[in-house]
Amino acid sequence: MDVSELAARYDEELRTSDYADVDASANGLQVGSGDWTVEHVAFAVDAAVETIEAAVSAGADALVTHHGLSWGGIERVTGRDFDRVAPLIREDVALYVSHLPLDGHTSLGNAAGLADRLGLAGRERFGAMGSEYIGLAGTADALDPAGVRETLETDLDHGAGGVRHLDFGPDAIKDVAVVTGSGADWFDAAVERGADAFVTGEGKQKLYHQAKEAGVHVYLAGHYATETFGVNALADLADDWGVETTVLDAPTGI
Amino acid sequence: MDVSELAARYDEELRTSDYADVDASANGLQVGSGDWTVEHVAFAVDAAVETIEAAVSAGADALVTHHGLSWGGIERVTGRDFDRVAPLIREDVALYVSHLPLDGHTSLGNAAGLADRLGLAGRERFGAMGSEYIGLAGTADALDPAGVRETLETDLDHGAGGVRHLDFGPDAIKDVAVVTGSGADWFDAAVERGADAFVTGEGKQKLYHQAKEAGVHVYLAGHYATETFGVNALADLADDWGVETTVLDAPTGI
Amino acid sequence: MDVSELAARYDEELRTSDYADVDASANGLQVGSGDWTVEHVAFAVDAAVETIEAAVSAGADALVTHHGLSWGGIERVTGRDFDRVAPLIREDVALYVSHLPLDGHTSLGNAAGLADRLGLAGRERFGAMGSEYIGLAGTADALDPAGVRETLETDLDHGAGGVRHLDFGPDAIKDVAVVTGSGADWFDAAVERGADAFVTGEGKQKLYHQAKEAGVHVYLAGHYATETFGVNALADLADDWGVETTVLDAPTGI
Amino acid sequence: MDVSELAARYDEELRTSDYADVDASANGLQVGSGDWTVEHVAFAVDAAVETIEAAVSAGADALVTHHGLSWGGIERVTGRDFDRVAPLIREDVALYVSHLPLDGHTSLGNAAGLADRLGLAGRERFGAMGSEYIGLAGTADALDPAGVRETLETDLDHGAGGVRHLDFGPDAIKDVAVVTGSGADWFDAAVERGADAFVTGEGKQKLYHQAKEAGVHVYLAGHYATETFGVNALADLADDWGVETTVLDAPTGI
Amino acid sequence: MDVSELAARYDEELRTSDYADVDASANGLQVGSGDWTVEHVAFAVDAAVETIEAAVSAGADALVTHHGLSWGGIERVTGRDFDRVAPLIREDVALYVSHLPLDGHTSLGNAAGLADRLGLAGRERFGAMGSEYIGLAGTADALDPAGVRETLETDLDHGAGGVRHLDFGPDAIKDVAVVTGSGADWFDAAVERGADAFVTGEGKQKLYHQAKEAGVHVYLAGHYATETFGVNALADLADDWGVETTVLDAPTGI
Amino acid sequence: MDVSELAARYDEELRTSDYADVDASANGLQVGSGDWTVEHVAFAVDAAVETIEAAVSAGADALVTHHGLSWGGIERVTGRDFDRVAPLIREDVALYVSHLPLDGHTSLGNAAGLADRLGLAGRERFGAMGSEYIGLAGTADALDPAGVRETLETDLDHGAGGVRHLDFGPDAIKDVAVVTGSGADWFDAAVERGADAFVTGEGKQKLYHQAKEAGVHVYLAGHYATETFGVNALADLADDWGVETTVLDAPTGI
C-alpha cells in the first residue's frame, strides 16, 4: 500500500472532509509524498520530536497522530516545526493526522473508547462543533462516583498526572457526557442534557464553580490519558489491512 | 465612599481603560448602583455563588474579583448568571472586576506577586496582549529547579491541586517568565526571551513537548493558586483607604 | 405553571429559535429563574422602569415585552440596566422577550394586527430578514389614502405623537406592505412588490424623497403605536392558558 | 473656477479626508467632471429628483448637498439612482456632497448652527464617531425647557413636521448636547457628559424611556430641520468666493 | 422590447441571480432606464469609452458587455467612471453586464466557446467559485500540443498579443481544463482533475513553475482573446429575438 | 556566519518586520535551522524545484528568493510543497525570502533597479501598501516612448516573453511610476501622480482601456524580468560580507 492509499482509507473511515470547516487542524496527510510505500505504521497521540524519533527507531514508514503540526498552516519550517518536520523528511516517514474526526468517531474515537471503559449504554453524539460532534454521551446503571474515578485512574495512561474529581454530583451517576482532551466549553451542554457526570481531559478554572453550582460530577482525567483510544483503534484498523503497526507510548501527564 | 468612587480609584490605579480592547472581560463595575455607600469590601479570585454568599455573610457592600460575570456581555440573567447576579442585587452588594489589568499590574498584579515569592530581580513586562502585557519576567541568582517547585507548592493556595513540574530545563534557573492563570500561549515568547523557566497556572497538552524540545522548565502551579496575589493587593489598597476588608478563600484546585 | 413552561410555550408558538441568527435581541426568557411559579403575567411593548414598576404594582410574576434588555448581551448590570434588572430580581418578576418573532408572526404578530385593522386580504409574508420575515403585505379593495390615515390615527395608541402621511401614491390603494416599528429599510422591497402604500412606525429622512419619486404612500404611524398588537395577542394566549393577565399601557409617542 | 477647484476648497475647509474612515458617504465630488466651469452653485440638504431639478431650473452648474447618492458605492445607475444621476449628467450639473464633515464642523456645521440659535457658550466637540466628532455641546444660562422648544419650533424649517419634546429634564437647562439628524445613539454620551438637554432630529423608540429614566430633556426637532445650517454656511462661503448661489428649500418634515 | 424585458430574458438564460454571491460584478442591468425601447443592441467584451462610443456610433440603444463598470459599486461618477457613464446616459444607451455567469454558461459561455474550438467532448463544469462554476473541462482524442497552440493563435482575436505556451505536458493531450480570462488560481484544480493541458487568458508568474513541476501544458491565450465567445453568443440570442445587433471588436492584446 | 546571522542582517537591511502586516508572504527565514553555517548562498527570483536543485548543485548552504513557499502558512508539506521543501531539508539548504520589502527598498529593491536602468531622478516612494510602499517614481528628461520600450526589451531577462507597450501617452516621457511584478492595481495612483508612463511586470485586461482613457504609457515588461534586480542586490551585499554567492537564472517569460 502506498501513503495515498493509507490516507484515503483513513479519510473515508473518519469522514475527514466533513470536519474541514470546524477543525483548525489540517487533517489527513500532513507531511510526505503520497507515492511512498507503507509497510509499517507507528501511532502516537502527539506529533513531537520524541514520537517522531521513536517512529524512526521502530522503522516505521508513516506516523499517525491525533495532534499534528499544521493548525491553520505552518508559517515557517524553522525552529520547533523544523525539528519535527526534518526527521520525517530525512527518514521518509509520512505524517497522517486526525484530530476532531478521531475525537468524535462513534466507534473508533477517543470518546467512544472512554465510554467503553465506563460501560455507557444508549449512546448519543455529544459535543457539537458546528454541524459535527466531538464527544459522546450515554447512560449507566447508577455508577458510584468514587468508582468512576478509580476506573479512570487505573485504566488510563496518566504518566506523571492523575484524575481530578470535582465531587459535586449525585450519589448515583446515571447519565455521563464525555468530551476528551480540552472539553470544558461543553460542560453547559452536559448540564442541559441532564448529565450527572462530565468527563474530560484538561480542566479550566471556571469549571470548578460551574460544576459546584450545577451539582454535577466533573472528572478531569488528563488530556493525553483520555486520547489514547483513537490512535489505538486506528492501529487495529491498520493491522486488519495487513500493515505492521507500533503504538508509541509518550504520556504527557497533562 | 460610594461605589462610583471605589471603582474610579481602582480603575485609575489599574489603568482599566487601557485594557478595554484586549480583554473580553468587562472590567470595572459590573453589577450594582454607583450610589451605594461602601464600608466593607470582600475580595475573591472568582465571582461565583460560593464567594458571593460569603461576601454577603461577611456583611460586605461590595465584592472585588479577578474573574467576573460579564465576558462580552451577559446574554441572559437566567440560570447560572441569575444565581450569581440575584444575591448581589437582593443584598445590595456591588461587583467590581479586574481581569487582565490585575494580571499585568507591575506591582499589585498576580505576576508581580508571584515574582516576589520567587525573588525575581530586573523585572520587565512580559506576555504581550495587543499593546498591553499580562505577565512579568525577571532574573534570579541560579535558582534550584526543585526548590522553585517547593516554593510554589508551599507558598501558594492550591486547594485539592498541586504543582506540576515539567523538568526539562537547566540545573540553574537564571531567567524566569511568569504569566499567571492560563498562560500556555506565551510559552514561545518565554523561549524567545531566553527564559530558563516558565511559570503559569493551567497546563495545556502541547506544553509538554514544547518544553521538552526547548529545554525549559515549566511549572503549572494552578490557575487559582497563581492568581490570589492581585486581589490581596487590592485589599491592601482598600485598607489604606480606610475601608473594612475581608479576603475570601475559595481555592478551586485547578 | 412555572416560568420555564410559560417560556417554552411562547418559544414554540413564536418559533423563537428560528430567529436566533437574524435578531440582535436575546429572545425568550431574559431575566429570572425558570422555577418561579407564574399566576399573573403583565404585558408591555417596552421593558423599562415605568413598565417594570407597573408590572410589580399589578402583582405580576412575569413581564412579557416586545423590546427587552439584552441586545447582544448586557455588558454591565449598572446604570440603566441596573435600574431595570434590579426591581425584576428584587420582586421576583421574570422577563420574557419576543422581538422579531413577534413582529413577523402571521397571526399573533404586530404586522398581522395592523393588517387586521386595515382589512388586508391575500396576505403574504413581507420584510425579509435573512431567511425569516418581519412584516406582512396584502391587498385591499381600493382604500382611500386619507381614510387609511384616519384609521391609523384613531385605532392606534399614539400618546403624544400621531400619524405622518407622505401623500405621494395613487388615489386608490390596492396593495399595502407593512413593517411595524422601524421599517424604512424595507421601503424599496415594498416598491418592488408593487405596493401602493407602505406602513411603518418610525420615519427616516431618506423615506420622503424615496416615496415621492416612487409614487407610493407612506404612513409613519409611530413605533410604539404599531407594535401593541403582538403583546396583546400574547396576553390573549395566556388568558387561554388560565393565567391572570394585565396589559400595560405606556405609549411613547415615538 | 472649475469644479475641481470648488471641490478642493470645500474639502480643505471641511477636512473631508479626515472623515473618510468613519463615514459611509462618499464625501467630496460625487458626480460630474472636474473640468466644468462653475459660475452658479445650488445648495440643498438632500440630493433627490426634486432638488436636482430645482438646481437645473435655477441654472446651477453644481449642486452641493448634505445627503448625497453614494453610500458605499452606487451599485447600479438604474431606478432611483438613474433618475437622480441622469439629470445631473444631461444638464452638466456637478454634485458635491459633505455628510459627517458638515455635521461636525465647529463653525460651519449643522450642530454649530443649531448651537448658535440656542446661544450655547463654552462649546466642545461632542458625538464621537471613531476619532472624529459629529456634534457639539455647550452651556447656557438656565434656559427654560418650553422656551427651547419654542425656539426650535419657530426658527427651524419643519415642513409638515414639528418638534417633539420629551419633557423629563430639570426646570433650568444649563448644559445642552447636540447631534443633528439621526443622533439617538449619542444620548448616553450626553447623559455621561451631564447634559440637561439633548437635541437631535429623528427619534427612536428607545429614547423615550432612556430620557425619562435619565431625567434629561430630549428635543426631536426633525432630521431636515436640524440640518439646513451646514449647506447655508457653505453657500455663504461660495458667495465669498464670488460664485452665484441659490439655496433650495425642500423640507421633508421628517 | 424594452430594456427591462431584454435584461430579464438574459438574466433568466444566464442565471444571473445564482452568481450574485460569488461575483464582485453587479451583473444585469448596470446603467439606464428599464423603460427605454430596445431596437438595436451592441456587444463588446469591455465597457470602456472606446466601445461605448462605438455603440453610440452604431446607433445602439443598449450595450451588452462581459466586463462592466460596477465592481462592488461605483464609488463616484467622476473621472473614468464619469467618462464612461456620461455618454451612456446622454445618448440613452443602456448597459447590461454579465461577468461570471457568462464565463461559465455551459453552451453560451466563454469557456464553452473555447471548448468548441478545441473540439472537447465529455464536458463537465470546471472552475468552482463557491457553489457555481466559471469554466469547463473535457476530453480530446490525443491532441498535438503544438497544434493546440496553433488553433488558439489563429482562431482567437489577439490584437497585438499572442499565445504563450508553457510546454511542460505530455506529447498527447487527452484532457483539457479551461478557465477563460484570469484563471491561474484554478491550475491546481486542473492538476487534481488529471488534465494534460490548462487553457486560460492572462498568466501569473507562479504558473510557470507550477506547470513545470506538475508536467502539464499551459496555454496563456489572452484575456480578451478567450472572452469574445460569450458576447457573440448573446448577440446570436438577440438576433433570434428580432433585435438588430452589432458586435464590436476592440481587442486589448492582453 | 550562521543562518540566523545571515537572516538577521537581511531583516535589518530590508526592514522585514515593518512589512509584516501588509505582506501575505512570510518574509525572513522560511525553511531551515538557524544553527547551520553559511559559506555559499544562492539567489533566485522564485523558490521552485528548478532553482532549489540548482542551489543544491551549486553547493549552496542557503537560497535567497523574492517569491517563497509560505503565503499565509504551508497547509501541508505534501505535493508541490513537499517537492520543494524536501530537497532543502535533505541537502541542508536554508531558504530566506524577501517579497514586498525587496520590491520597495529604495536602493536595493526591484523598482530601484528598474529606475536605475531608466535613469530616473528625483525619486519618491510609490505604490502604497498600507503604511509601506512597493514601488518608486521619478522624473526623466523627456524620454522617447519607443526608446523606453527598447531599454526594457534589451536590458531585462525575458526568457520566452517580451515587453508589451500600450502606446497611449505623450511623445515625451517626463515622469515614470514603477511597480514591479503584478502592479496593475497601482495604475490609478500613477495617473493621480501625473505620471506619463507606468512600468510594471504582468498585465491585467482592465489596464488597456484605463491607459488609453488616461493617456498614459504602460509598459508590461514581465513579472520575472522586472524582479531580478532585488536578489542581485542582495547577492552583492552577501559578497561584501565575504560569503560566496551564485545568482541563478531561471526566467519564466511571464
Side-chain angles (χ1 to χ4, degrees):
Chain A
M1 178 157 42
D2 65 13
V3 165
S4 295
E5 173 68 15
L6 182 83
R9 288 190 189 185
Y10 278 140
D11 284 347
E12 186 186 352
E13 179 61 43
L14 292 161
R15 297 191 300 113
T16 299
S17 59
D18 293 346
Y19 283 78
D21 289 342
V22 301
D23 197 348
S25 168
N27 297 311
L29 187 63
Q30 271 194 9
V31 179
S33 164
D35 298 336
W36 291 342
T37 297
V38 177
E39 295 183 347
H40 184 164
V41 184
F43 297 82
V45 173
D46 301 298
V49 171
E50 177 181 353
T51 53
I52 290 165
E53 289 182 348
V56 170
S57 299
D61 313 303
L63 172 63
V64 172
T65 67
H66 179 51
H67 300 123
L69 303 181
S70 173
W71 302 88
I74 299 173
E75 183 71 3
R76 299 158 192 279
V77 189
T78 61
R80 179 164 57 232
D81 283 314
F82 176 83
D83 293 342
R84 293 172 176 179
V85 169
L88 290 169
I89 287 181
R90 286 173 174 154
E91 306 290 342
D92 299 339
V93 177
L95 176 67
Y96 179 91
V97 173
S98 187
H99 182 229
L100 300 186
L102 188 56
D103 281 321
H105 193 284
T106 52
S107 61
L108 306 174
N110 288 317
L114 209 149
D116 289 348
R117 298 298 169 108
L118 297 176
L120 301 186
R123 298 186 190 183
E124 297 174 347
R125 304 201 76 187
F126 176 79
M129 189 87 173
S131 57
E132 289 295 336
Y133 292 84
I134 61 172
L136 274 183
T139 57
D141 201 8
L143 296 171
D144 168 50
V148 169
R149 184 186 194 288
E150 211 172 292
T151 301
L152 295 170
E153 189 83 46
T154 50
D155 284 18
L156 274 55
D157 184 2
H158 292 285
V163 178
R164 177 80 198 286
H165 177 199
L166 306 180
D167 188 6
F168 299 123
D171 289 346
I173 295 174
K174 298 180 180 166
D175 192 289
V176 181
V178 179
V179 174
T180 59
S182 181
D185 291 344
W186 284 269
F187 174 74
D188 282 349
V191 174
E192 200 169 339
R193 174 189 162 81
D196 301 313
F198 177 67
V199 183
T200 189
E202 291 174 6
K204 280 193 186 174
Q205 163 75 351
K206 64 178 180 178
L207 255 186
Y208 179 88
H209 289 289
Q210 287 178 356
K212 189 170 186 178
E213 295 173 20
V216 169
H217 292 283
V218 168
Y219 297 90
L220 306 174
H223 196 131
Y224 180 90
T226 58
E227 298 200 327
T228 60
F229 300 103
V231 290
N232 273 283
L234 294 185
D236 291 345
L237 262 188
D239 279 334
D240 295 347
W241 299 335
V243 177
E244 187 179 355
T245 60
T246 301
V247 179
L248 303 168
D249 194 41
T252 64
I254 294 179
Chain B
M1 178 157 41
D2 65 12
V3 165
S4 296
E5 173 67 16
L6 181 83
R9 289 190 188 184
Y10 278 139
D11 284 347
E12 187 185 353
E13 179 62 43
L14 293 161
R15 298 190 301 112
T16 300
S17 59
D18 294 346
Y19 283 79
D21 289 343
V22 300
D23 197 348
S25 167
N27 296 311
L29 187 63
Q30 270 194 10
V31 179
S33 164
D35 299 335
W36 291 341
T37 297
V38 176
E39 296 183 346
H40 184 165
V41 184
F43 297 82
V45 173
D46 301 298
V49 170
E50 177 181 353
T51 54
I52 290 166
E53 288 181 348
V56 170
S57 298
D61 312 303
L63 173 62
V64 172
T65 67
H66 179 51
H67 300 123
L69 303 181
S70 174
W71 302 88
I74 299 173
E75 183 71 1
R76 299 159 193 278
V77 188
T78 60
R80 178 164 58 231
D81 283 314
F82 177 82
D83 293 342
R84 293 172 176 178
V85 170
L88 290 169
I89 286 182
R90 285 174 174 152
E91 305 290 343
D92 298 340
V93 178
L95 176 67
Y96 179 91
V97 173
S98 188
H99 183 230
L100 300 186
L102 189 56
D103 281 320
H105 193 284
T106 52
S107 60
L108 306 174
N110 288 317
L114 209 151
D116 289 347
R117 296 301 168 105
L118 298 176
L120 301 186
R123 299 185 190 182
E124 297 174 348
R125 305 200 76 188
F126 176 80
M129 187 86 174
S131 57
E132 289 295 336
Y133 292 84
I134 61 172
L136 275 182
T139 56
D141 201 8
L143 295 172
D144 168 50
V148 169
R149 185 186 194 287
E150 209 172 295
T151 301
L152 294 170
E153 188 84 46
T154 50
D155 284 19
L156 274 55
D157 185 2
H158 293 285
V163 178
R164 177 82 199 285
H165 177 199
L166 306 179
D167 188 7
F168 299 123
D171 290 346
I173 295 173
K174 297 179 180 166
D175 192 289
V176 181
V178 179
V179 174
T180 59
S182 181
D185 291 344
W186 284 269
F187 175 75
D188 283 347
V191 174
E192 200 169 340
R193 175 190 162 81
D196 301 313
F198 178 66
V199 182
T200 188
E202 292 175 10
K204 281 193 186 174
Q205 164 74 352
K206 64 177 182 178
L207 255 186
Y208 179 88
H209 290 289
Q210 287 178 355
K212 189 170 185 177
E213 295 173 19
V216 169
H217 293 284
V218 168
Y219 297 90
L220 305 175
H223 195 133
Y224 180 92
T226 58
E227 298 201 326
T228 60
F229 300 103
V231 290
N232 273 283
L234 294 185
D236 291 344
L237 262 189
D239 279 334
D240 296 346
W241 298 336
V243 177
E244 187 179 355
T245 60
T246 301
V247 179
L248 302 169
D249 194 41
T252 63
I254 294 180
Chain C
M1 178 160 39
D2 66 13
V3 164
S4 296
E5 172 68 15
L6 182 82
R9 289 190 188 185
Y10 278 139
D11 283 348
E12 186 185 354
E13 179 62 44
L14 293 161
R15 297 191 300 113
T16 299
S17 59
D18 293 345
Y19 282 79
D21 288 344
V22 300
D23 198 348
S25 168
N27 296 311
L29 187 63
Q30 272 195 6
V31 180
S33 164
D35 299 336
W36 291 341
T37 298
V38 177
E39 297 182 346
H40 184 164
V41 184
F43 296 83
V45 172
D46 302 299
V49 170
E50 177 182 351
T51 52
I52 290 165
E53 288 181 348
V56 170
S57 297
D61 311 303
L63 172 63
V64 172
T65 67
H66 180 51
H67 300 124
L69 303 181
S70 173
W71 302 89
I74 299 173
E75 183 71 1
R76 297 159 193 280
V77 189
T78 61
R80 179 166 55 233
D81 283 315
F82 176 81
D83 294 342
R84 293 173 176 177
V85 170
L88 290 169
I89 287 182
R90 286 173 174 154
E91 306 291 342
D92 298 340
V93 178
L95 176 67
Y96 179 91
V97 173
S98 187
H99 183 229
L100 299 186
L102 190 55
D103 281 321
H105 193 283
T106 52
S107 60
L108 305 174
N110 289 316
L114 210 149
D116 289 347
R117 297 299 169 106
L118 298 177
L120 301 185
R123 299 186 190 182
E124 297 174 348
R125 304 200 77 186
F126 176 80
M129 189 87 175
S131 58
E132 288 296 336
Y133 292 85
I134 61 171
L136 274 182
T139 56
D141 200 6
L143 295 172
D144 168 49
V148 169
R149 183 186 197 286
E150 210 171 293
T151 301
L152 295 170
E153 188 85 46
T154 49
D155 284 19
L156 274 55
D157 184 2
H158 292 284
V163 178
R164 178 81 199 285
H165 177 199
L166 306 180
D167 188 6
F168 298 124
D171 290 346
I173 295 173
K174 296 179 182 167
D175 192 290
V176 181
V178 179
V179 174
T180 60
S182 180
D185 290 346
W186 285 269
F187 174 75
D188 282 348
V191 174
E192 200 169 340
R193 174 189 163 81
D196 301 312
F198 178 65
V199 183
T200 188
E202 293 176 10
K204 279 194 187 174
Q205 163 74 352
K206 64 177 182 178
L207 255 187
Y208 179 88
H209 290 289
Q210 288 178 355
K212 189 171 185 177
E213 296 173 19
V216 169
H217 292 284
V218 168
Y219 298 90
L220 306 174
H223 196 132
Y224 181 91
T226 58
E227 299 199 327
T228 60
F229 300 103
V231 289
N232 272 283
L234 294 185
D236 291 345
L237 262 189
D239 277 335
D240 295 348
W241 297 336
V243 176
E244 186 179 356
T245 60
T246 300
V247 179
L248 302 168
D249 193 42
T252 64
I254 294 179
Chain D
M1 176 157 45
D2 65 11
V3 164
S4 296
E5 172 68 16
L6 182 83
R9 289 189 188 185
Y10 278 139
D11 283 349
E12 187 186 353
E13 179 62 44
L14 293 162
R15 298 191 300 113
T16 299
S17 59
D18 293 348
Y19 283 79
D21 289 343
V22 300
D23 198 348
S25 168
N27 296 311
L29 187 63
Q30 270 193 11
V31 179
S33 164
D35 299 336
W36 291 342
T37 297
V38 176
E39 295 183 347
H40 185 163
V41 184
F43 296 83
V45 173
D46 301 298
V49 171
E50 177 182 351
T51 52
I52 290 165
E53 289 182 347
V56 169
S57 298
D61 311 305
L63 173 62
V64 172
T65 67
H66 179 51
H67 301 123
L69 303 182
S70 174
W71 301 90
I74 299 173
E75 182 72 3
R76 299 159 193 278
V77 189
T78 60
R80 180 165 55 233
D81 282 315
F82 177 81
D83 293 341
R84 293 172 176 178
V85 169
L88 291 168
I89 286 181
R90 286 175 173 152
E91 306 290 342
D92 298 341
V93 177
L95 176 67
Y96 179 90
V97 173
S98 187
H99 183 229
L100 299 186
L102 189 55
D103 281 321
H105 192 284
T106 53
S107 61
L108 306 174
N110 288 317
L114 210 150
D116 289 347
R117 297 299 169 107
L118 298 177
L120 301 185
R123 298 185 190 182
E124 297 174 348
R125 304 200 77 187
F126 175 79
M129 188 87 174
S131 57
E132 289 295 335
Y133 291 85
I134 60 171
L136 275 182
T139 57
D141 201 7
L143 294 172
D144 168 49
V148 169
R149 185 186 194 287
E150 210 173 293
T151 301
L152 295 170
E153 187 84 47
T154 49
D155 284 19
L156 273 56
D157 185 2
H158 292 284
V163 178
R164 179 80 199 285
H165 178 198
L166 306 180
D167 187 7
F168 298 124
D171 290 345
I173 295 173
K174 297 180 179 166
D175 193 289
V176 182
V178 179
V179 174
T180 59
S182 180
D185 290 345
W186 285 269
F187 175 75
D188 282 349
V191 174
E192 201 169 339
R193 173 189 163 82
D196 302 314
F198 178 65
V199 183
T200 190
E202 293 175 9
K204 280 192 187 175
Q205 163 74 352
K206 65 177 180 178
L207 256 186
Y208 179 88
H209 289 291
Q210 288 178 354
K212 189 170 185 176
E213 295 173 19
V216 169
H217 293 284
V218 168
Y219 298 90
L220 305 174
H223 196 133
Y224 181 91
T226 58
E227 298 200 327
T228 60
F229 300 103
V231 289
N232 273 282
L234 294 185
D236 291 345
L237 262 188
D239 278 334
D240 295 346
W241 298 336
V243 176
E244 188 180 353
T245 60
T246 300
V247 178
L248 302 169
D249 194 41
T252 63
I254 295 178
Chain E
M1 177 158 42
D2 66 12
V3 164
S4 296
E5 173 67 16
L6 181 83
R9 288 189 189 185
Y10 278 140
D11 283 348
E12 188 186 351
E13 178 62 43
L14 293 161
R15 297 191 301 113
T16 299
S17 59
D18 293 346
Y19 283 77
D21 289 343
V22 300
D23 198 348
S25 168
N27 296 312
L29 187 62
Q30 271 194 9
V31 180
S33 164
D35 298 336
W36 292 342
T37 297
V38 177
E39 295 183 346
H40 184 163
V41 184
F43 296 83
V45 173
D46 301 298
V49 171
E50 177 182 352
T51 52
I52 290 165
E53 289 181 348
V56 170
S57 298
D61 311 305
L63 172 62
V64 172
T65 66
H66 179 52
H67 301 123
L69 303 181
S70 173
W71 302 89
I74 300 173
E75 182 72 2
R76 298 158 193 279
V77 188
T78 61
R80 179 165 56 232
D81 282 315
F82 177 82
D83 293 341
R84 293 173 176 179
V85 169
L88 290 169
I89 286 181
R90 286 174 174 152
E91 306 290 342
D92 297 340
V93 178
L95 176 67
Y96 179 91
V97 173
S98 187
H99 183 229
L100 300 187
L102 189 56
D103 281 321
H105 193 283
T106 52
S107 61
L108 306 174
N110 288 316
L114 210 149
D116 289 346
R117 297 299 169 106
L118 298 177
L120 301 185
R123 298 186 190 184
E124 297 174 348
R125 305 200 76 187
F126 176 79
M129 188 85 174
S131 58
E132 289 294 335
Y133 293 84
I134 60 171
L136 275 182
T139 57
D141 200 7
L143 295 173
D144 168 50
V148 168
R149 185 187 193 287
E150 210 172 291
T151 301
L152 294 170
E153 188 84 45
T154 49
D155 284 18
L156 273 55
D157 183 3
H158 292 285
V163 178
R164 178 81 199 285
H165 178 198
L166 305 180
D167 188 7
F168 298 124
D171 290 345
I173 295 173
K174 297 179 181 167
D175 192 289
V176 182
V178 179
V179 174
T180 60
S182 181
D185 290 345
W186 284 269
F187 175 75
D188 282 349
V191 174
E192 201 168 340
R193 174 190 161 82
D196 301 312
F198 178 65
V199 183
T200 188
E202 293 175 5
K204 281 193 187 175
Q205 163 75 351
K206 64 177 181 178
L207 256 186
Y208 179 88
H209 290 289
Q210 287 178 357
K212 189 171 185 175
E213 295 173 19
V216 169
H217 293 283
V218 168
Y219 297 90
L220 305 174
H223 195 132
Y224 181 91
T226 58
E227 298 200 328
T228 60
F229 300 104
V231 289
N232 273 283
L234 294 185
D236 292 344
L237 261 190
D239 278 334
D240 296 347
W241 297 336
V243 177
E244 188 179 354
T245 60
T246 300
V247 178
L248 302 168
D249 192 41
T252 63
I254 295 178
Chain F
M1 177 158 42
D2 67 11
V3 164
S4 296
E5 173 68 17
L6 181 83
R9 288 190 189 186
Y10 278 139
D11 283 348
E12 188 185 353
E13 178 61 44
L14 293 162
R15 298 191 301 113
T16 299
S17 59
D18 294 346
Y19 283 78
D21 289 342
V22 301
D23 198 347
S25 168
N27 296 311
L29 187 63
Q30 270 193 11
V31 180
S33 164
D35 298 336
W36 291 341
T37 297
V38 176
E39 296 182 347
H40 185 163
V41 184
F43 296 83
V45 173
D46 302 298
V49 171
E50 177 181 351
T51 52
I52 290 165
E53 289 182 347
V56 170
S57 298
D61 311 304
L63 172 63
V64 172
T65 66
H66 179 51
H67 300 124
L69 302 182
S70 173
W71 301 89
I74 299 173
E75 184 70 3
R76 297 160 193 278
V77 189
T78 61
R80 179 164 56 230
D81 283 315
F82 177 82
D83 293 342
R84 293 172 176 179
V85 169
L88 290 169
I89 287 181
R90 287 174 174 152
E91 305 291 342
D92 298 340
V93 178
L95 176 67
Y96 179 91
V97 173
S98 187
H99 182 229
L100 300 186
L102 190 55
D103 281 319
H105 193 283
T106 52
S107 60
L108 305 175
N110 288 317
L114 210 150
D116 289 347
R117 297 300 168 106
L118 297 177
L120 301 186
R123 299 187 190 182
E124 297 174 348
R125 304 201 75 188
F126 176 80
M129 189 84 173
S131 57
E132 289 295 336
Y133 293 84
I134 62 171
L136 274 183
T139 56
D141 201 6
L143 296 172
D144 168 50
V148 168
R149 184 186 194 288
E150 210 173 292
T151 301
L152 295 169
E153 188 82 47
T154 49
D155 284 21
L156 275 54
D157 184 3
H158 291 287
V163 179
R164 177 84 199 283
H165 178 197
L166 306 180
D167 188 7
F168 298 124
D171 289 347
I173 294 174
K174 297 179 180 166
D175 193 288
V176 181
V178 180
V179 174
T180 59
S182 180
D185 290 344
W186 284 270
F187 174 75
D188 282 348
V191 174
E192 201 169 341
R193 173 189 163 82
D196 302 313
F198 178 66
V199 183
T200 189
E202 293 176 11
K204 279 193 188 174
Q205 163 75 350
K206 64 177 182 177
L207 256 186
Y208 179 88
H209 290 288
Q210 287 178 358
K212 189 171 187 177
E213 295 172 20
V216 169
H217 293 284
V218 167
Y219 297 89
L220 306 174
H223 196 131
Y224 181 90
T226 58
E227 299 202 325
T228 59
F229 299 103
V231 289
N232 273 283
L234 294 185
D236 291 345
L237 262 189
D239 278 335
D240 296 346
W241 298 336
V243 176
E244 186 178 355
T245 60
T246 301
V247 179
L248 303 169
D249 193 42
T252 63
I254 294 180

